[in-house]
Amino acid sequence: MEEEEEEARALLPGGSDEAGRDTRATRAASGALQALCDPSRLAHRLVVLLLMCFLGFGSYFCYDNPAALQIQVKRDMQVNTTKFMLLYAWYSWPNVVLCFFGGFLIDRVFGIRIGGESLAVAQNTYAVSWFKGKELNLVFGLQLSMARIGSTVNMNLMGWLYSKVAASLGSAGHTTLGVTLMIGGITCILSLVCALALAYLDQRAERILHKEQGKTGEVIKLTDVKDFSLPLWLIFIICVCYYVAIFPFIGLGKVFFTEKFGFSSQAASAINSIVYVISAPMSPIFGLLVDKTGKNIIWVLCAVVTTLASHVMLAFTLWNPWIAMCLLGLSYSLLACALWPMVAFVVPEHQLGTAYGFMQSIQNLGLAVISIIAGMILDTRGYLFLEVFFIACVSLSLLAVVLLYMVNRAQGGNLNYSAKKREETKLSHEE
């Protein structure tokens, strides 16, 4: 206990005069090192941000293994498209439960994380905890950027890695596929290290900054889910209907581009990953844009409309697919930066983990179901029917955005405040 109090006095202003003089002397002597160790300083928060960004790298890298190795998986495992898409469904089914309870545990026992998608819940909750305010959209963008870098590296690396392993073993087959996936799985160790470091730093900051003193004392209960507001449910619907038209499409995209547009396997992989390539640099830029302008619902509306246009182009035209995929990459980046932070505006802080966990859970439920349906449609009806199905999903998302705008406007319009008005409202509440 004495060590904790001494650490807090060393890092925070205040306390006794002697402690204050010691603090000033220490800061003068150590400078940058002191800032890195002080959770109230920007340098320390940047270290936390770096760890948050790398937290999801390994998870997203491994998530896109089937998309990067679609041809090899179907050939070596001797499966059709429906069974191939079960790989994504099997990933999603456990996370329907784990994300929700992972988020619940984050609220009740902060620092506990379970499962791959619960890493995303932890990222979102950490982001709000450390950066709630004018930086939040930028932070969400940076997190997404690093996740997309992981996916991009995977899309362009795993095929090459498979060929190298096949050359080393002397033949292709299920053994080669297994070794390739094992090597790719090493990236998850990086995510584990970051998760452990973040849990320690977050608990340390809570101890030093005495965050519990500012808490309301309210405790999240599982029954609170039924009390989630209508705007929050509409945000959930937007999320599910939008992402089911993105990830399953990318999972099946490589063969789509070879069959419809005649691309080579390497060129198809490149165009299939362009959504992630664009998202990596554009997510922080869009995050900063949303931070500076506010108007989250309008930005979400622009993203959904652009995504709808992209799928219409891919379904009904023979235009160069680079155009549609670049638009898809831009809209995907914009939506993530504008949509996910809105949860923090409609949910009390003590329920954030549960809200984000529930959002990830129903997203995974949607992805599990739609992945199976997409595989069945492709095996029986072909890519045109599949694209029409994705267009219908995005159209439902668009309808939910319009309803969210109307409901939020009737309730005061806080989700669509400008950045200036949001700051003024925050200051008035603090007073």
Side-chain angles (χ1 to χ4, degrees):
M1 186 65 183
E2 292 179 359
E3 292 179 359
E4 294 177 4
E5 293 177 352
E6 184 178 344
E7 184 177 15
R9 285 197 299 269
L11 292 175
L12 298 175
S16 66
D17 292 339
E18 183 178 349
R21 286 194 297 271
D22 290 344
T23 300
R24 287 190 293 273
T26 302
R27 286 178 177 170
S30 58
L33 180 61
Q34 182 71 17
L36 287 173
C37 297
D38 185 347
S40 66
R41 303 282 291 276
L42 176 62
H44 185 83
R45 292 196 300 144
L46 290 177
V47 172
V48 172
L49 176 59
L50 185 66
L51 290 171
M52 288 193 316
C53 288
F54 278 103
L55 176 63
F57 181 90
S59 177
Y60 280 92
F61 181 96
C62 290
Y63 175 82
D64 285 299
N65 276 331
L69 297 172
Q70 180 181 354
I71 295 173
Q72 292 89 339
V73 169
K74 292 176 69 175
R75 181 189 65 217
D76 295 346
M77 298 180 68
Q78 298 180 357
V79 296
N80 59 15
T81 307
T82 302
K83 291 183 178 179
F84 167 77
M85 290 303 290
L86 283 174
L87 292 173
Y88 284 104
W90 289 332
Y91 170 90
S92 296
W93 285 125
N95 286 299
V96 173
V97 177
L98 292 180
C99 284
F100 176 70
F101 283 100
F104 176 75
L105 288 172
I106 290 169
D107 284 331
R108 291 297 294 265
V109 190
F110 205 77
I112 293 181
R113 318 282 178 249
I114 306 174
E117 286 297 304
S118 287
L119 288 179
V121 178
Q123 277 184 310
N124 296 335
T125 309
Y126 279 139
V128 175
S129 176
W130 284 87
F131 297 95
K132 187 175 183 180
K134 62 182 180 180
E135 304 159 325
L136 186 58
N137 296 294
L138 174 61
V139 169
F140 271 86
L142 288 170
Q143 288 184 164
L144 178 63
S145 176
M146 183 55 68
R148 297 287 63 98
I149 289 174
S151 297
T152 302
V153 172
N154 177 276
M155 289 278 192
N156 293 280
L157 176 67
M158 293 304 288
W160 172 85
L161 181 61
Y162 179 95
S163 63
K164 292 297 181 182
V165 172
S168 176
L169 296 178
S171 64
H174 63 274
T175 302
T176 299
L177 181 63
V179 172
T180 303
L181 294 174
M182 285 286 290
I183 295 173
I186 294 173
T187 56
C188 286
I189 296 175
L190 173 64
S191 293
L192 174 62
V193 171
C194 291
L196 295 174
L198 274 170
Y200 167 74
L201 290 177
D202 193 72
Q203 291 176 348
R204 175 177 177 270
E206 186 164 321
R207 183 180 70 243
I208 294 172
L209 299 178
H210 303 293
K211 289 184 179 181
E212 67 278 1
Q213 294 178 358
K215 292 183 179 178
T216 63
E218 296 177 273
V219 177
I220 181 69
K221 303 183 291 291
L222 291 177
T223 54
D224 286 347
V225 172
K226 66 178 173 50
D227 297 322
F228 283 165
S229 64
L230 178 57
L232 183 60
W233 284 107
L234 288 172
I235 291 172
F236 291 163
I237 293 171
I238 295 167
C239 173
V240 174
C241 293
Y242 184 87
Y243 283 106
V244 296
I246 300 295
F247 294 129
F249 170 75
I250 293 176
L252 295 168
K254 185 174 180 179
V255 175
F256 171 66
F257 294 117
T258 59
E259 289 189 2
K260 179 172 181 177
F261 297 97
F263 283 94
S264 66
S265 178
Q266 184 176 358
S269 293
I271 193 170
N272 200 36
S273 67
I274 195 64
V275 172
Y276 297 153
V277 172
I278 290 175
S279 180
M282 292 307 298
S283 293
I285 295 173
F286 282 138
L288 183 60
L289 176 65
V290 178
D291 276 330
K292 295 297 183 183
T293 62
K295 303 289 185 181
N296 288 59
I297 297 180
I298 296 299
W299 289 118
V300 170
L301 180 64
C302 293
V304 174
V305 169
T306 305
T307 300
L308 185 60
S310 299
H311 276 292
V312 169
M313 289 168 59
L314 290 169
F316 301 113
T317 76
L318 291 174
W319 297 351
N320 191 317
W322 284 96
I323 301 172
M325 292 300 285
C326 287
L327 287 175
L328 192 61
L330 291 171
S331 58
Y332 167 72
S333 306
L334 179 58
L335 179 122
C337 296
L339 179 69
W340 290 86
M342 285 200 291
V343 175
F345 298 134
V346 296
V347 174
E349 190 166 348
H350 71 281
Q351 294 181 348
L352 272 176
T354 300
Y356 278 123
F358 193 81
M359 191 170 177
Q360 291 278 168
S361 291
I362 61 174
Q363 179 187 356
N364 276 280
L365 176 61
L367 289 173
V369 173
I370 297 303
S371 292
I372 296 172
I373 294 174
M376 294 172 62
I377 291 174
L378 191 55
D379 279 335
T380 58
R381 296 286 187 170
Y383 276 105
L384 178 59
F385 277 85
L386 182 63
E387 274 299 317
V388 171
F389 176 70
F390 288 145
I391 289 171
C393 292
V394 181
S395 297
L396 287 175
S397 182
L398 178 59
L399 177 61
V401 176
V402 174
L403 289 175
L404 178 62
Y405 177 83
M406 297 170 61
V407 170
N408 182 247
R409 186 172 183 178
Q411 295 179 350
N414 66 312
L415 293 179
N416 212 36
Y417 279 169
S418 65
K420 182 179 179 181
K421 187 170 183 179
R422 191 165 283 157
E423 186 67 22
E424 291 173 353
T425 303
K426 178 183 176 183
L427 291 174
S428 65
H429 286 166
E430 291 176 351
E431 292 173 358

